Amino acid sequence: MKNFLKYKIIRIIICLFNLKKNNKISVNNILIIRLDEIGDVVMTTPFIRELKRNFPKANITLIVKPQIYNLLELCPNVDKVLTFNRYSGRFGYFINIFKAYIYSKTYLKNKKFDLCIIPRWDTDVYGASYLSYFSKAKRRITYSECVSAMKSIENKGFDGFFTDVITKTEHLHEVERNLDVIRFLGGKIFNENLELWISKEDYKSTSNIIDKQKINILFCPSAGSKRREWDIDKYCEVLNLLNEKFNFKLIVLGDIKNTSKVLQNLKEKYIGEVIDLVGKTTLRETVALMQAADIFIGGDTGPMHIAAACKIDGVVISCHPKNGDINHGNSPKRFGPWQSPLVVLQPEYGLEDCRDGCNKDYAHCINQITVNEVYQKLEKILEKKVKEKSGGK
């Protein structure tokens, strides 16, 4: 009933606005809408750069969540970064339609965009499609509602908001799916690397944290979903074993909401010193730390994608079983570290009814990964770093 009501509302909006399709346009003004999380936005950076390369004279505006603004603020490939704050309370679906309309009327309508792109392949749970339609961009492009079974249900009718929908993609990883939108437009891809941008102030504010005489480990033990968090007791076992053999500095990152309890357990059970930066760094300062540190340890999170962009060594512990669906939302084949030296560890099989992927709301399949597996991988990485610090001797 809920999806039927949503579909009827979509049809009414499309009938009321009745925007005409016009593909024969010159592209001078482009709007990109990416209201997703940190990792998704990091994986979009090659798309933004390559879009600018293909349309060098176009003015590009990017819309992101307010929490992501700091990460994109210095991006040289866009002319303006705007934020849209989605409401997540009761009746949020209906309120966000109204918010999208008012926002577009206030900030987007007079921009007269020639092209609007939503590079997200998966279900639009953020309402970006409404922003796109209300922007009245002459050409509006995204992935079709029929690309996945879930999207065909949750976003039924959304194709009507766009002048063009992409029904196929040659690739599985989200970085390539983003870039396939440019290929759909007839553009060429010259560079698929992730990239991030920081200021001298970001460097300065974190420079006193990194110890050049030691191996610096950035540790992100928490995640937005509990199923993606390896047991903190196991982490402590690994770190205590490493501490017996190596001289390293452990720097803990994360947001206060998800990391506070985990951090408390870490401080009680880890025998070494903990540098607590939980909730104390901006996203760009996190980038500065990743660029200067030696090793990353953590799960499938936004900071993991920042680590991938910074080409840092390390280990990522994934909850997605090796025999799971490669197109699952937790699949490293789709969301893993892109073109990165990071090593991904996965459980061999899903437990109980977790056939396509772990479906529990607590740490479940992920805890099949053993302390010994993680220790062995990290031991090799630390040994390599010790040699590098000592000049290869």
Side-chain angles (χ1 to χ4, degrees):
M1 183 66 184
K2 179 182 176 182
N3 287 329
F4 176 77
L5 179 60
K6 286 165 62 176
Y7 176 72
K8 285 297 182 183
I9 291 172
I10 291 165
R11 298 312 305 166
I12 291 170
I13 290 171
I14 291 171
C15 288
L16 284 174
F17 282 79
N18 193 28
L19 301 184
K20 303 297 182 182
K21 184 173 181 176
N22 181 8
N23 288 347
K24 295 180 180 180
I25 57 172
S26 57
V27 179
N28 300 311
N29 212 1
I30 301 175
L31 174 64
I32 305 169
I33 304 175
R34 189 86 228 210
L35 301 178
D36 307 77
E37 307 305 321
I38 296 169
D40 301 292
V41 173
V42 172
M43 290 188 289
T44 309
T45 58
F47 163 80
I48 297 170
R49 180 190 59 245
E50 297 305 300
L51 185 70
K52 184 64 176 179
R53 198 191 300 264
N54 280 272
F55 297 95
K57 296 182 180 180
N59 186 287
I60 299 179
T61 299
L62 172 66
I63 303 178
V64 296
K65 293 169 60 173
Q67 299 91 324
I68 309 295
Y69 178 79
N70 177 259
L71 191 66
L72 276 297
E73 186 180 7
L74 302 180
C75 176
N77 303 310
V78 297
D79 298 279
K80 192 168 188 178
V81 182
L82 299 174
T83 62
F84 177 74
N85 194 12
R86 179 173 170 270
Y87 176 73
S88 57
R90 193 179 181 189
F91 304 117
Y93 176 78
F94 305 102
I95 292 172
N96 284 318
I97 294 175
F98 180 73
K99 284 195 71 173
Y101 173 73
I102 297 299
Y103 184 93
S104 298
K105 190 175 181 181
T106 305
Y107 299 105
L108 307 179
K109 184 180 176 182
N110 294 331
K111 299 287 185 180
K112 297 181 179 179
F113 291 105
D114 301 302
L115 177 63
C116 175
I117 301 172
I118 301 175
R120 182 177 172 85
W121 179 87
D122 215 338
T123 305
D124 178 11
V125 296
Y126 299 98
S129 299
Y130 292 102
L131 277 176
S132 173
Y133 191 68
F134 292 144
S135 75
K136 295 189 175 181
K138 296 173 185 175
R139 193 175 181 189
R140 302 174 301 281
I141 300 173
T142 195
Y143 279 101
S144 171
E145 65 193 59
C146 69
V147 294
S148 74
M150 181 61 70
K151 192 172 185 179
S152 66
I153 297 170
E154 295 296 325
N155 290 164
K156 183 180 180 182
F158 274 39
D159 281 5
F161 289 139
F162 300 91
T163 59
D164 304 81
V165 291
I166 306 169
T167 57
K168 293 181 180 179
T169 178
E170 298 176 2
H171 301 95
L172 176 64
H173 199 281
E174 291 300 300
V175 169
E176 287 281 26
R177 283 177 169 170
N178 294 333
L179 292 171
D180 277 346
V181 178
I182 296 174
R183 296 184 180 103
F184 176 81
L185 287 165
K188 294 182 179 180
I189 307 303
F190 298 91
N191 183 350
E192 296 183 348
N193 290 338
L194 304 175
E195 63 175 305
L196 295 169
W197 317 271
I198 60 177
S199 66
K200 291 180 180 179
E201 288 71 25
D202 298 318
Y203 275 119
K204 288 179 181 177
S205 63
T206 57
S207 60
N208 64 327
I209 297 167
I210 299 297
D211 187 340
K212 294 183 180 180
Q213 304 303 314
K214 294 183 179 181
I215 297 169
N216 297 272
I217 297 178
L218 296 182
F219 181 35
C220 297
S222 65
S225 170
K226 291 299 178 184
R227 73 171 66 96
R228 289 189 277 132
E229 290 186 11
W230 200 47
D231 192 331
I232 189 60
D233 289 346
K234 291 187 176 185
Y235 270 128
C236 289
E237 282 188 62
V238 172
L239 292 168
N240 285 334
L241 287 170
L242 292 171
N243 194 63
E244 293 175 4
K245 185 175 180 180
F246 301 98
N247 182 22
F248 61 85
K249 187 173 185 178
L250 187 68
I251 304 164
V252 185
L253 299 172
D255 66 317
I256 294 173
K257 178 183 177 183
N258 294 310
T259 315
S260 295
K261 188 175 180 180
V262 176
L263 179 64
Q264 182 181 346
N265 290 335
L266 174 68
K267 289 178 177 179
E268 291 173 357
K269 297 173 182 177
Y270 170 55
I271 60 176
E273 181 186 5
V274 174
I275 308 302
D276 176 9
L277 293 185
V278 173
K280 299 173 184 177
T281 62
T282 66
L283 289 175
R284 293 209 310 270
E285 287 171 343
T286 299
V287 175
L289 286 168
M290 293 285 186
Q291 290 180 352
D294 301 292
I295 295 172
F296 170 85
I297 304 174
D300 177 11
T301 62
M304 179 271 284
H305 290 287
I306 292 177
C310 296
K311 304 294 184 184
I312 188 173
D313 286 295
V315 169
V316 178
I317 303 177
S318 170
C319 70
H320 192 68
K322 291 180 180 178
N323 70 331
D325 180 5
I326 60 173
N327 209 21
H328 191 277
N330 292 322
S331 170
K333 296 284 187 183
R334 184 178 165 199
F335 287 105
W338 178 251
Q339 296 182 348
S340 162
L342 291 171
V343 177
V344 179
L345 297 178
Q346 298 175 253
E348 290 292 332
Y349 304 98
L351 295 172
E352 301 168 2
D353 60 338
C354 299
R355 296 182 182 88
D356 294 333
C358 191
N359 56 29
K360 307 303 181 185
D361 57 2
Y362 56 90
H364 182 239
C365 297
I366 194 170
N367 281 328
Q368 293 180 85
I369 298 171
T370 67
V371 167
N372 190 49
E373 284 179 87
V374 179
Y375 174 77
Q376 286 184 349
K377 291 294 183 184
L378 284 169
E379 183 184 35
K380 289 181 180 178
I381 295 171
L382 266 81
E383 285 173 349
K384 183 182 78 169
K385 293 297 176 183
V386 168
K387 287 183 180 179
E388 290 175 359
K389 294 276 185 181
S390 62
K393 296 180 181 180

